Short mmCIF file of all heavy atoms in Angstrom, two decimals:
data_model
loop_
_atom_site.label_atom_id
_atom_site.label_comp_id
_atom_site.label_asym_id
_atom_site.label_seq_id
_atom_site.Cartn_x
_atom_site.Cartn_y
_atom_site.Cartn_z
N GLN A 1 83.15 -39.25 10.30
CA GLN A 1 81.83 -38.68 9.96
C GLN A 1 81.35 -39.24 8.62
O GLN A 1 82.17 -39.58 7.75
CB GLN A 1 81.93 -37.16 9.91
CG GLN A 1 82.18 -36.52 11.26
CD GLN A 1 82.28 -35.00 11.19
OE1 GLN A 1 81.95 -34.39 10.19
NE2 GLN A 1 82.72 -34.40 12.28
N GLN A 2 80.04 -39.29 8.48
CA GLN A 2 79.46 -39.67 7.20
C GLN A 2 79.77 -38.60 6.15
O GLN A 2 79.95 -37.43 6.46
CB GLN A 2 77.95 -39.86 7.35
CG GLN A 2 77.54 -41.02 8.23
CD GLN A 2 77.82 -42.37 7.62
OE1 GLN A 2 77.69 -42.54 6.42
NE2 GLN A 2 78.21 -43.31 8.45
N LYS A 3 79.77 -39.01 4.90
CA LYS A 3 80.11 -38.10 3.80
C LYS A 3 79.18 -36.89 3.77
O LYS A 3 79.62 -35.74 3.58
CB LYS A 3 80.03 -38.82 2.46
CG LYS A 3 80.46 -37.98 1.26
CD LYS A 3 80.49 -38.81 0.00
CE LYS A 3 80.89 -37.98 -1.20
NZ LYS A 3 79.86 -37.00 -1.60
N SER A 4 77.88 -37.10 3.99
CA SER A 4 76.93 -35.98 3.92
C SER A 4 77.21 -34.96 5.05
O SER A 4 77.13 -33.76 4.84
CB SER A 4 75.47 -36.49 4.05
OG SER A 4 75.26 -37.09 5.31
N GLU A 5 77.58 -35.46 6.25
CA GLU A 5 77.90 -34.59 7.35
C GLU A 5 79.16 -33.79 7.06
O GLU A 5 79.23 -32.58 7.30
CB GLU A 5 78.08 -35.41 8.63
CG GLU A 5 78.42 -34.60 9.86
CD GLU A 5 77.29 -33.73 10.36
OE1 GLU A 5 76.13 -34.04 10.06
OE2 GLU A 5 77.57 -32.76 11.09
N ALA A 6 80.17 -34.46 6.49
CA ALA A 6 81.43 -33.80 6.18
C ALA A 6 81.26 -32.72 5.10
O ALA A 6 81.82 -31.63 5.16
CB ALA A 6 82.46 -34.81 5.76
N GLU A 7 80.45 -33.05 4.10
CA GLU A 7 80.19 -32.06 3.02
C GLU A 7 79.47 -30.84 3.61
O GLU A 7 79.78 -29.70 3.24
CB GLU A 7 79.32 -32.69 1.92
CG GLU A 7 80.05 -33.71 1.06
CD GLU A 7 80.97 -33.06 0.03
OE1 GLU A 7 81.04 -31.82 -0.04
OE2 GLU A 7 81.66 -33.81 -0.71
N GLY A 8 78.53 -31.08 4.51
CA GLY A 8 77.83 -29.97 5.15
C GLY A 8 78.74 -29.12 5.98
O GLY A 8 78.64 -27.87 6.01
N LYS A 9 79.71 -29.75 6.66
CA LYS A 9 80.66 -29.00 7.50
C LYS A 9 81.62 -28.20 6.63
O LYS A 9 82.01 -27.08 7.00
CB LYS A 9 81.40 -29.97 8.42
CG LYS A 9 82.21 -29.33 9.51
CD LYS A 9 81.36 -28.44 10.42
CE LYS A 9 80.30 -29.21 11.18
NZ LYS A 9 80.78 -30.18 12.14
N TRP A 10 82.02 -28.74 5.47
CA TRP A 10 82.87 -28.01 4.56
C TRP A 10 82.17 -26.76 4.08
O TRP A 10 82.76 -25.66 3.99
CB TRP A 10 83.32 -28.88 3.39
CG TRP A 10 84.05 -28.11 2.33
CD1 TRP A 10 83.61 -27.82 1.06
CD2 TRP A 10 85.33 -27.47 2.44
NE1 TRP A 10 84.54 -27.06 0.39
CE2 TRP A 10 85.62 -26.84 1.22
CE3 TRP A 10 86.29 -27.40 3.47
CZ2 TRP A 10 86.78 -26.14 0.96
CZ3 TRP A 10 87.44 -26.69 3.23
CH2 TRP A 10 87.69 -26.05 2.00
N HIS A 11 80.88 -26.88 3.78
CA HIS A 11 80.09 -25.70 3.38
C HIS A 11 80.04 -24.71 4.52
O HIS A 11 80.22 -23.51 4.32
CB HIS A 11 78.67 -26.14 2.99
CG HIS A 11 77.73 -24.99 2.76
ND1 HIS A 11 77.82 -24.16 1.67
CD2 HIS A 11 76.69 -24.52 3.50
CE1 HIS A 11 76.87 -23.23 1.74
NE2 HIS A 11 76.18 -23.44 2.85
N ARG A 12 79.81 -25.21 5.73
CA ARG A 12 79.68 -24.32 6.88
C ARG A 12 80.94 -23.55 7.18
O ARG A 12 80.91 -22.35 7.51
CB ARG A 12 79.25 -25.16 8.09
CG ARG A 12 79.01 -24.32 9.35
CD ARG A 12 78.38 -25.19 10.43
NE ARG A 12 78.32 -24.52 11.72
CZ ARG A 12 77.85 -25.07 12.83
NH1 ARG A 12 77.39 -26.31 12.78
NH2 ARG A 12 77.81 -24.41 13.96
N VAL A 13 82.10 -24.22 7.06
CA VAL A 13 83.36 -23.53 7.37
C VAL A 13 83.70 -22.47 6.33
O VAL A 13 84.48 -21.57 6.59
CB VAL A 13 84.53 -24.55 7.51
CG1 VAL A 13 85.06 -25.00 6.15
CG2 VAL A 13 85.66 -23.95 8.36
N GLN A 14 83.07 -22.56 5.15
CA GLN A 14 83.27 -21.55 4.15
C GLN A 14 82.40 -20.33 4.37
O GLN A 14 82.82 -19.19 4.13
CB GLN A 14 82.99 -22.11 2.75
CG GLN A 14 83.95 -23.19 2.29
CD GLN A 14 83.52 -23.78 0.96
OE1 GLN A 14 83.92 -23.32 -0.11
NE2 GLN A 14 82.70 -24.79 1.02
N VAL A 15 81.16 -20.55 4.83
CA VAL A 15 80.23 -19.41 5.00
C VAL A 15 80.22 -18.86 6.42
O VAL A 15 79.59 -17.85 6.67
CB VAL A 15 78.79 -19.81 4.59
CG1 VAL A 15 78.71 -20.21 3.13
CG2 VAL A 15 78.24 -20.93 5.48
N THR A 16 80.94 -19.50 7.34
CA THR A 16 81.09 -18.95 8.70
C THR A 16 82.58 -18.97 9.04
O THR A 16 83.39 -19.63 8.36
CB THR A 16 80.33 -19.79 9.78
OG1 THR A 16 80.96 -21.05 9.91
CG2 THR A 16 78.88 -19.96 9.37
N ASN A 17 82.97 -18.26 10.07
CA ASN A 17 84.33 -18.32 10.54
C ASN A 17 84.37 -18.03 12.04
O ASN A 17 83.50 -17.34 12.57
CB ASN A 17 85.24 -17.35 9.78
CG ASN A 17 84.60 -16.00 9.56
OD1 ASN A 17 84.22 -15.33 10.53
ND2 ASN A 17 84.46 -15.59 8.31
N VAL A 18 85.34 -18.63 12.73
CA VAL A 18 85.58 -18.51 14.16
C VAL A 18 84.54 -19.27 15.00
O VAL A 18 84.90 -19.94 15.96
CB VAL A 18 85.67 -17.01 14.60
CG1 VAL A 18 85.80 -16.89 16.11
CG2 VAL A 18 86.85 -16.32 13.93
N GLN A 19 83.26 -19.19 14.64
CA GLN A 19 82.21 -19.78 15.47
C GLN A 19 82.43 -21.28 15.74
O GLN A 19 82.17 -21.74 16.83
CB GLN A 19 80.85 -19.57 14.85
CG GLN A 19 79.65 -19.89 15.74
CD GLN A 19 79.23 -21.33 15.69
OE1 GLN A 19 79.48 -22.02 14.70
NE2 GLN A 19 78.60 -21.83 16.74
N LEU A 20 82.97 -21.97 14.76
CA LEU A 20 83.16 -23.41 14.92
C LEU A 20 84.18 -23.74 16.02
O LEU A 20 84.23 -24.87 16.49
CB LEU A 20 83.59 -24.05 13.60
CG LEU A 20 82.47 -24.39 12.61
CD1 LEU A 20 83.04 -24.83 11.27
CD2 LEU A 20 81.59 -25.49 13.17
N THR A 21 85.00 -22.77 16.40
CA THR A 21 85.97 -23.01 17.48
C THR A 21 85.34 -22.86 18.87
O THR A 21 85.96 -23.23 19.87
CB THR A 21 87.16 -22.06 17.39
OG1 THR A 21 86.73 -20.73 17.67
CG2 THR A 21 87.83 -22.11 16.02
N SER A 22 84.16 -22.29 18.94
CA SER A 22 83.53 -21.98 20.22
C SER A 22 83.23 -23.24 21.03
O SER A 22 83.33 -23.23 22.25
CB SER A 22 82.26 -21.16 20.02
OG SER A 22 81.29 -21.88 19.25
N TYR A 23 82.89 -24.33 20.35
CA TYR A 23 82.50 -25.58 21.05
C TYR A 23 83.64 -26.12 21.89
O TYR A 23 83.51 -26.34 23.10
CB TYR A 23 82.06 -26.65 20.04
CG TYR A 23 80.96 -26.20 19.11
CD1 TYR A 23 81.25 -25.51 17.93
CD2 TYR A 23 79.64 -26.46 19.41
CE1 TYR A 23 80.25 -25.10 17.07
CE2 TYR A 23 78.61 -26.07 18.56
CZ TYR A 23 78.93 -25.37 17.38
OH TYR A 23 77.94 -24.98 16.55
N TYR A 24 84.78 -26.35 21.22
CA TYR A 24 85.91 -26.93 21.96
C TYR A 24 86.53 -25.93 22.91
O TYR A 24 86.90 -26.29 24.06
CB TYR A 24 86.97 -27.45 20.99
CG TYR A 24 88.18 -27.99 21.71
CD1 TYR A 24 88.11 -29.23 22.34
CD2 TYR A 24 89.36 -27.25 21.83
CE1 TYR A 24 89.20 -29.73 23.05
CE2 TYR A 24 90.45 -27.74 22.55
CZ TYR A 24 90.34 -28.98 23.16
OH TYR A 24 91.41 -29.45 23.88
N THR A 25 86.66 -24.68 22.52
CA THR A 25 87.28 -23.68 23.38
C THR A 25 86.51 -23.55 24.69
O THR A 25 87.07 -23.57 25.77
CB THR A 25 87.35 -22.32 22.68
OG1 THR A 25 88.04 -22.46 21.42
CG2 THR A 25 88.10 -21.30 23.54
N GLY A 26 85.17 -23.40 24.59
CA GLY A 26 84.34 -23.29 25.80
C GLY A 26 84.41 -24.54 26.63
O GLY A 26 84.48 -24.49 27.87
N PHE A 27 84.37 -25.71 25.99
CA PHE A 27 84.47 -26.99 26.69
C PHE A 27 85.76 -27.08 27.49
O PHE A 27 85.75 -27.43 28.67
CB PHE A 27 84.37 -28.11 25.67
CG PHE A 27 84.77 -29.47 26.18
CD1 PHE A 27 83.97 -30.15 27.09
CD2 PHE A 27 85.94 -30.07 25.74
CE1 PHE A 27 84.33 -31.43 27.55
CE2 PHE A 27 86.32 -31.33 26.18
CZ PHE A 27 85.51 -32.01 27.09
N LYS A 28 86.88 -26.75 26.85
CA LYS A 28 88.16 -26.83 27.53
C LYS A 28 88.23 -25.88 28.73
O LYS A 28 88.67 -26.24 29.81
CB LYS A 28 89.30 -26.50 26.55
CG LYS A 28 90.67 -26.36 27.25
CD LYS A 28 91.78 -26.14 26.26
CE LYS A 28 93.09 -25.78 26.96
NZ LYS A 28 93.48 -26.74 28.02
N GLU A 29 87.71 -24.65 28.54
CA GLU A 29 87.77 -23.66 29.62
C GLU A 29 86.89 -24.09 30.79
O GLU A 29 87.27 -23.88 31.96
CB GLU A 29 87.38 -22.30 29.10
CG GLU A 29 88.41 -21.71 28.11
CD GLU A 29 88.15 -20.26 27.78
OE1 GLU A 29 87.01 -19.91 27.47
OE2 GLU A 29 89.10 -19.47 27.87
N ILE A 30 85.74 -24.68 30.51
CA ILE A 30 84.83 -25.12 31.60
C ILE A 30 85.45 -26.29 32.34
O ILE A 30 85.41 -26.36 33.59
CB ILE A 30 83.45 -25.45 31.06
CG1 ILE A 30 82.76 -24.19 30.53
CG2 ILE A 30 82.58 -26.07 32.16
CD1 ILE A 30 81.45 -24.44 29.80
N MET A 31 86.03 -27.23 31.61
CA MET A 31 86.68 -28.38 32.26
C MET A 31 87.84 -27.93 33.13
O MET A 31 88.03 -28.43 34.26
CB MET A 31 87.14 -29.38 31.20
CG MET A 31 86.01 -30.11 30.49
SD MET A 31 84.96 -31.11 31.56
CE MET A 31 86.13 -32.38 32.07
N ASP A 32 88.62 -26.99 32.61
CA ASP A 32 89.74 -26.43 33.39
C ASP A 32 89.21 -25.77 34.69
O ASP A 32 89.78 -25.96 35.76
CB ASP A 32 90.53 -25.39 32.59
CG ASP A 32 91.31 -26.02 31.44
OD1 ASP A 32 91.43 -27.27 31.41
OD2 ASP A 32 91.81 -25.27 30.58
N LEU A 33 88.14 -25.01 34.54
CA LEU A 33 87.56 -24.31 35.68
C LEU A 33 87.00 -25.29 36.71
O LEU A 33 87.17 -25.11 37.93
CB LEU A 33 86.46 -23.35 35.21
CG LEU A 33 85.66 -22.64 36.33
CD1 LEU A 33 86.57 -21.88 37.28
CD2 LEU A 33 84.60 -21.70 35.70
N ARG A 34 86.34 -26.35 36.23
CA ARG A 34 85.77 -27.32 37.17
C ARG A 34 86.87 -27.98 38.01
O ARG A 34 86.68 -28.20 39.22
CB ARG A 34 84.98 -28.39 36.42
CG ARG A 34 84.20 -29.31 37.37
CD ARG A 34 83.32 -30.31 36.63
NE ARG A 34 84.11 -31.39 36.02
CZ ARG A 34 83.58 -32.45 35.47
NH1 ARG A 34 82.25 -32.63 35.44
NH2 ARG A 34 84.34 -33.40 34.93
N THR A 35 88.01 -28.25 37.38
CA THR A 35 89.13 -28.84 38.11
C THR A 35 89.62 -27.90 39.19
O THR A 35 89.86 -28.29 40.35
CB THR A 35 90.27 -29.17 37.14
OG1 THR A 35 89.81 -30.13 36.18
CG2 THR A 35 91.47 -29.76 37.89
N LEU A 36 89.76 -26.61 38.83
CA LEU A 36 90.21 -25.61 39.82
C LEU A 36 89.20 -25.44 40.95
O LEU A 36 89.56 -25.31 42.11
CB LEU A 36 90.45 -24.25 39.12
CG LEU A 36 91.62 -24.21 38.13
CD1 LEU A 36 91.62 -22.88 37.37
CD2 LEU A 36 92.95 -24.37 38.85
N TRP A 37 87.92 -25.42 40.60
CA TRP A 37 86.84 -25.27 41.59
C TRP A 37 86.83 -26.46 42.56
O TRP A 37 86.65 -26.31 43.77
CB TRP A 37 85.52 -25.12 40.89
CG TRP A 37 84.33 -25.01 41.80
CD1 TRP A 37 83.43 -25.96 42.10
CD2 TRP A 37 83.91 -23.84 42.53
NE1 TRP A 37 82.47 -25.52 42.96
CE2 TRP A 37 82.75 -24.19 43.25
CE3 TRP A 37 84.43 -22.55 42.64
CZ2 TRP A 37 82.08 -23.28 44.07
CZ3 TRP A 37 83.75 -21.65 43.47
CH2 TRP A 37 82.60 -22.02 44.17
N GLN A 38 87.02 -27.65 42.00
CA GLN A 38 87.00 -28.85 42.81
C GLN A 38 88.19 -28.83 43.81
O GLN A 38 88.02 -29.20 44.99
CB GLN A 38 87.10 -30.08 41.92
CG GLN A 38 86.85 -31.41 42.64
CD GLN A 38 86.67 -32.56 41.67
OE1 GLN A 38 86.76 -32.39 40.46
NE2 GLN A 38 86.38 -33.73 42.20
N GLN A 39 89.34 -28.38 43.34
CA GLN A 39 90.50 -28.27 44.22
C GLN A 39 90.26 -27.26 45.34
O GLN A 39 90.62 -27.49 46.49
CB GLN A 39 91.73 -27.86 43.40
CG GLN A 39 92.21 -28.94 42.43
CD GLN A 39 93.28 -28.44 41.47
OE1 GLN A 39 93.58 -27.23 41.42
NE2 GLN A 39 93.84 -29.33 40.69
N LYS A 40 89.60 -26.16 44.99
CA LYS A 40 89.33 -25.11 45.97
C LYS A 40 88.30 -25.57 47.00
O LYS A 40 88.44 -25.27 48.21
CB LYS A 40 88.83 -23.85 45.26
CG LYS A 40 88.56 -22.68 46.20
CD LYS A 40 88.06 -21.45 45.44
CE LYS A 40 87.78 -20.31 46.41
NZ LYS A 40 87.31 -19.08 45.73
N GLN A 41 87.29 -26.30 46.55
CA GLN A 41 86.22 -26.73 47.46
C GLN A 41 86.60 -27.93 48.33
O GLN A 41 86.07 -28.08 49.43
CB GLN A 41 84.97 -27.09 46.66
CG GLN A 41 84.33 -25.91 45.95
CD GLN A 41 83.78 -24.89 46.91
OE1 GLN A 41 82.94 -25.20 47.74
NE2 GLN A 41 84.25 -23.65 46.79
N GLY A 42 87.50 -28.77 47.82
CA GLY A 42 87.94 -29.93 48.57
C GLY A 42 86.78 -30.86 48.90
O GLY A 42 85.99 -31.25 48.04
N LYS A 43 86.61 -31.21 50.16
CA LYS A 43 85.58 -32.16 50.60
C LYS A 43 84.17 -31.58 50.42
O LYS A 43 83.18 -32.34 50.39
CB LYS A 43 85.78 -32.54 52.07
CG LYS A 43 87.04 -33.33 52.32
CD LYS A 43 87.20 -33.67 53.81
CE LYS A 43 88.47 -34.45 54.09
NZ LYS A 43 88.63 -34.75 55.52
#
């Protein structure tokens, strides 16, 4: 990341908490679900 982006993220992680984990956590859970759904649906 560019320095300005990283500095902004350091500020954000200080004034917020937990929310920054929502992106990856939700992404992982949806990808896991899509795999299970695809297996269930088959053809």
Side-chain angles (χ1 to χ4, degrees):
Q1 293 179 12
Q2 294 290 324
K3 183 174 180 290
S4 64
E5 179 70 21
E7 288 284 358
K9 192 58 62 66
W10 172 249
H11 171 71
R12 183 171 171 181
V13 79
Q14 293 175 91
V15 298
T16 69
N17 43 58
V18 175
Q19 191 273 335
L20 277 171
T21 67
S22 60
Y23 305 86
Y24 177 75
T25 305
F27 166 70
K28 173 176 170 52
E29 292 191 311
I30 295 171
M31 290 299 293
D32 290 349
L33 174 57
R34 189 176 73 171
T35 299
L36 292 172
W37 178 257
Q38 191 168 2
Q39 292 170 353
K40 182 180 179 180
Q41 294 294 303
K43 294 180 181 179

